[in-house]
Amino acid sequence: MSRYDLLWEAVRERGEQSFKLTFEEIQHIAGIPIDHSFLRYKKELAEYGYQVGKISMKEQTVAFQRLD
């Protein structure tokens, strides 16, 4: 089990083509703060039909896009 499985499930359940979540929203969903290790785990999201797009440190958001 990945530390971000709860987040990946929430992304898939959302079902939108693309959307953004704030770091705070991600922490609430995943139950853990987002940190540099997120970059290693983000490739797991493809198994759920999505990919991580732009990560904005300034806005503290992460963009998600559904894979076609």
Side-chain angles (χ1 to χ4, degrees):
M1 181 171 186
S2 166
R3 66 188 297 195
Y4 288 102
D5 279 346
L6 292 174
L7 175 61
W8 306 151
E9 285 289 337
V11 167
R12 180 173 56 189
E13 289 174 10
R14 192 155 171 167
E16 297 175 46
Q17 184 65 33
S18 64
F19 60 93
K20 289 182 182 179
L21 292 175
T22 65
F23 289 4
E24 186 175 320
E25 290 171 317
I26 290 170
Q27 179 175 340
H28 178 74
I29 294 166
I32 55 172
I34 189 170
D35 60 21
H36 68 280
S37 72
F38 182 79
L39 297 174
R40 285 183 287 166
Y41 287 95
K42 71 179 187 173
K43 64 182 175 228
E44 299 172 345
L45 187 55
E47 297 174 30
Y48 295 83
Y50 280 82
Q51 68 182 3
V52 172
K54 182 178 180 186
I55 300 172
S56 172
M57 299 304 289
K58 182 179 179 182
E59 295 176 10
Q60 298 218 337
T61 60
V62 177
F64 298 91
Q65 291 103 23
R66 187 169 36 203
L67 297 171
D68 292 327

